Amino acid sequence: MIQYIVILLDDTSVPFCHYPNKKQERRLMPLDTLKAGILYAMKENLNVQFVYPSYHLPVGYEEVIESIDHVKIKPLVVSDGADVVVLDGMEEAELLVRKGMKYATSYVLRIDKDSLFAQSDTILSILDKVARLNVVLTDLDRFSNDDFVSYREWLQMLSKAVVNLYVEGKSPQLNLLTDRMMLDGMNNCGAGDTCVTLAPDGNFYVCPAFYLSEDGNPVGSLHNGLDVRNPQLYRLDHAPICRHCDAYQCKRCIWLNRKLTLEVNTPSHEQCVVAHLERNESRNLMLTLRRCGEFLPNKKEIKEISYLDPYDMRNEWNNQ
Ligand code: SF4
């Protein structure tokens, strides 16, 4: 059942997940479409997330936006009042460190693997000072076996720094390491299942990435209603691999699935291995923190496992 709606205010709205936004020509959502989208969200009782472009909206827009409870996702250059600030690459992360951060705000850092491996200090500076940091890899589809090794080492190094922050009495939130420790079940993106996107053209899409893809078809419109074909394909219980998995923090990105395997409910090897490296380092982090003192006493220990891609265990699924 749909519970969330992402409203892209412009074609150039900041990308906040794995997908890029190459559009440079502004196409602001007409005010009437915005009002109709808000009315739709009210009628369907949806949680709303507005995604902003990197310019200030014309007069009248903010007043309409404030007519409903919402979350504002904004790029760094217009980040006043944002609930979530998107840092598009390491340059913006460094700019943020120089400008200073707002503790109550969550940040998303979109970053490629090479910059990530090279720039841990900046990431640690941000993590130490913000309410939450979500790191999103923008080239997950290009991970090689060597990159998996580097990523494991990077997570181990970051995990040590997270332990130090906890020992100092802080509670850092980093999606890659701390989310899995808190979760008892899947907490994925939910595109097409629990979440849908309204684009400036007045149509619904599975997520912003589908709107921005050349072949991303709409799944209904404000005029004709939401119409997700084969909705079961977006659900966990119809995902042949993911439903056997306990990397609960994984985004289970439908857009990456379709890009890499041509099926929305079948993940790529890269997505699974990266998510399992995070899962396994979260396990180590949890064990280390428990050696330092009481830590999440109501949460179960994360099991030790021998694989990094659940697909490799497919012969055992039938015996479960
Ligand atoms: S790690 Fe792979 S199998 Fe597990 S939820 Fe993520 S995409 Fe699905």
Side-chain angles (χ1 to χ4, degrees):
M1 195 175 86
I2 301 293
Q3 298 163 22
Y4 300 90
I5 186 165
V6 173
I7 299 185
L8 295 180
L9 293 167
D10 190 283
D11 269 12
T12 61
S13 286
V14 65
F16 60 93
C17 199
H18 295 296
Y19 66 96
N21 185 356
K22 298 202 175 104
K23 288 193 193 264
Q24 295 188 339
E25 203 171 313
R26 291 180 187 180
R27 180 189 187 183
L28 182 65
M29 176 175 277
L31 204 49
D32 284 347
T33 306
L34 178 60
K35 288 178 184 169
I38 289 174
L39 185 62
Y40 179 86
M42 284 176 175
K43 282 187 183 161
E44 299 293 324
N45 200 20
L46 304 178
N47 295 296
V48 183
Q49 299 173 336
F50 291 107
V51 191
Y52 282 68
S54 58
Y55 63 90
H56 291 287
L57 300 179
V59 176
Y61 275 76
E62 291 297 348
E63 195 183 331
V64 172
I65 285 169
E66 294 306 328
S67 67
I68 189 167
D69 277 347
H70 64 273
V71 167
K72 290 186 176 79
I73 302 175
K74 292 186 166 191
L76 182 64
V77 284
V78 292
S79 59
D80 274 5
D83 302 286
V84 179
V85 176
V86 181
L87 309 167
D88 209 359
M90 214 56 206
E91 265 178 38
E92 290 200 357
E94 284 164 355
L95 184 61
L96 178 76
V97 171
R98 288 200 296 278
K99 266 176 62 169
M101 303 143 243
K102 295 194 182 116
Y103 182 74
T105 306
S106 294
Y107 292 82
V108 171
L109 172 59
R110 298 183 68 252
I111 190 167
D112 61 78
K113 55 185 165 62
D114 292 336
S115 306
L116 184 85
F117 300 150
Q119 296 283 352
S120 330
D121 288 351
T122 306
I123 291 170
L124 281 171
S125 303
I126 298 172
L127 182 62
D128 184 23
K129 295 190 181 65
V130 304
R132 177 175 175 81
L133 178 62
N134 277 357
V135 174
V136 182
L137 288 159
T138 52
D139 54 358
L140 202 157
D141 48 325
R142 291 204 290 274
F143 264 64
S144 64
N145 284 341
D146 286 348
D147 293 327
F148 292 144
V149 173
S150 301
Y151 192 50
R152 186 201 310 261
E153 289 168 0
W154 184 86
L155 287 168
Q156 286 168 346
M157 186 272 304
L158 218 73
S159 177
K160 280 188 196 146
V162 169
V163 170
N164 291 338
L165 290 174
Y166 270 104
V167 169
E168 287 169 21
K170 297 177 178 163
S171 303
Q173 285 193 43
L174 175 67
N175 62 326
L176 309 176
L177 285 173
T178 62
D179 281 9
R180 176 61 183 83
M181 299 191 299
M182 316 286 172
L183 292 169
D184 299 312
M186 280 290 182
N187 184 34
N188 318 126
C189 152
D193 177 21
T194 58
C195 186
V196 73
T197 289
L198 176 65
D201 65 0
N203 290 327
F204 295 117
Y205 294 82
V206 168
C207 81
F210 281 74
Y211 172 60
L212 296 167
S213 307
E214 275 165 19
D215 57 347
N217 295 321
V219 290
S221 65
L222 281 173
H223 189 64
N224 296 316
L226 185 63
D227 180 22
V228 181
R229 302 275 160 91
N230 295 318
Q232 74 281 0
L233 292 181
Y234 300 94
R235 295 204 319 252
L236 180 63
D237 60 359
H238 275 67
I241 303 172
C242 300
R243 65 173 191 244
H244 297 280
C245 177
D246 76 345
Y248 298 148
Q249 87 296 344
C250 176
K251 280 199 190 306
R252 214 162 76 72
C253 178
I254 300 292
W255 172 73
L256 272 179
N257 289 356
R258 196 190 60 155
K259 184 176 171 194
L260 299 176
T261 71
L262 306 181
E263 291 190 28
V264 293
N265 59 357
T266 303
S268 64
H269 177 67
E270 292 83 355
Q271 184 167 193
C272 291
V273 173
V274 163
H276 277 76
L277 292 170
E278 294 160 4
R279 174 213 181 273
N280 293 348
E281 197 47 45
S282 301
R283 174 179 189 275
N284 295 338
L285 175 60
M286 194 171 190
L287 291 173
T288 306
L289 290 172
R290 284 185 166 167
R291 282 196 286 274
C292 298
E294 189 176 77
F295 183 72
L296 299 175
N298 299 326
K299 296 287 173 196
K300 279 197 221 144
E301 196 172 290
I302 302 169
K303 266 194 327 194
E304 185 163 24
I305 52 175
S306 58
Y307 57 89
L308 289 174
D309 185 341
Y311 184 72
D312 296 339
M313 304 304 288
R314 60 196 175 282
N315 292 336
E316 302 200 0
W317 296 343
N318 295 334
N319 304 326
Q320 285 174 4

